[in-house]
Amino acid sequence: MKLILLGAPGAGKGTVAKMLTAMDGSVQISTGDILRGAVKDGTELGKKAEAFMKAGDLVPDDLIMGIMEERLQQDDCKSGFLLDGFPRTIPQANELKELLTRINVELDFAVELDVPRDVILDRLTTRRTCVGCGAIYNVKSMPPKVEGVCDKCGADVVQRDDETEAAISNRLDVYNEKTAPLVDFYSKEDMLLSITATSSDVVVAAIKEKLEA
């Protein structure tokens, strides 16, 4: 499968991606992962991107597209890939379309995880993260056995600064302004599967059904 996953922060893209890659050996690719990978590998593009990242600046589109072109031609992408959190803007979507044509790769479709805002707010404001091993908890559905202490490593379990209600509302507003228009873009390309569901199992089943159709 060769898919793009679209959805607001907290829509469950990461969980869905893990379930899908376990099905057929596809690789999950997020912009953050490929940037970190290029920096670690010391590629020419990676070195350029590192300068922007160290300065706290956004990495320019032309660099991201160059790194994406390298990444999509690596051997592990031959069995399929899921683009998670990319493209983020219409210009990136247009450039990705040109890139895929150039390297002769055909996308199956883009999937929109359409989760109501109040569900996302509830999901993220109740999420807690271990400062030691990064384990994720939820104060409502999956709290640690001892409040504030990680079951796995015993470190503190805290609410991240970017997961307070004000921070999440801001992230959702940014998403709606910059990334939500991609839903229209892929709809016009006749390549959109929109799924309204809060259960990852339902989402995966719908994707599987469309792939097999």
Side-chain angles (χ1 to χ4, degrees):
M1 65 180 92
K2 296 178 176 73
L3 304 175
I4 290 172
L5 291 180
L6 302 172
K13 295 189 298 295
T15 307
V16 166
K18 282 185 182 64
M19 291 167 75
L20 289 169
T21 52
M23 263 169 31
D24 74 346
S26 299
V27 287
Q28 179 186 359
I29 301 174
S30 77
T31 323
D33 289 346
I34 62 162
L35 284 173
R36 284 187 290 274
V39 169
K40 186 166 149 263
D41 294 340
T43 67
E44 207 50 50
L45 289 167
K47 285 174 191 162
K48 288 181 184 169
E50 188 175 25
F52 286 97
M53 289 156 79
K54 278 189 171 161
D57 294 329
L58 284 177
V59 177
D61 277 2
D62 60 337
L63 262 185
I64 288 181
M65 295 314 299
I67 291 171
M68 188 62 81
E69 184 163 355
E70 284 179 353
R71 181 68 187 91
L72 289 176
Q73 292 181 90
Q74 287 172 7
D75 283 349
D76 61 350
C77 288
K78 287 184 178 142
S79 55
F81 56 80
L82 303 167
L83 295 181
D84 172 7
F86 182 88
R88 284 179 188 271
T89 61
I90 300 290
Q92 282 185 356
N94 279 313
E95 288 194 47
L96 177 64
K97 188 178 170 184
E98 287 171 21
L99 162 62
L100 292 172
T101 304
R102 195 163 63 245
I103 64 174
N104 205 19
V105 170
E106 200 170 322
L107 205 60
D108 289 317
F109 48 87
V111 182
E112 179 203 11
L113 306 189
D114 185 12
V115 180
R117 189 182 180 106
D118 59 334
V119 172
I120 288 176
L121 273 170
D122 183 62
R123 190 181 277 175
L124 290 185
T125 52
T126 54
R127 189 153 79 175
R128 300 292 182 268
T129 306
C130 170
V131 297
C133 67
I136 303 285
Y137 296 92
N138 186 292
V139 291
K140 285 185 179 175
S141 59
M142 205 178 68
K145 293 188 180 91
V146 178
E147 192 180 339
V149 180
C150 179
D151 296 350
K152 294 173 184 168
C153 74
D156 290 344
V157 171
V158 301
Q159 181 176 40
R160 283 175 20 187
D161 291 342
D162 63 349
E163 290 183 347
T164 61
E165 189 156 346
I168 291 158
S169 289
N170 185 49
R171 282 164 70 194
L172 292 175
D173 290 343
V174 169
Y175 172 81
N176 286 331
E177 182 194 333
K178 299 217 164 136
T179 312
L182 289 168
V183 171
D184 282 344
F185 177 90
Y186 286 109
S187 181
K188 284 174 185 155
E189 297 269 313
D190 200 23
M191 287 183 70
L192 185 74
L193 172 65
S194 187
I195 307 167
T196 305
T198 52
S199 154
S200 302
D201 292 322
V202 172
V203 173
V204 169
I207 292 170
K208 212 170 156 188
E209 190 181 328
K210 174 138 176 103
L211 283 167
E212 289 166 358

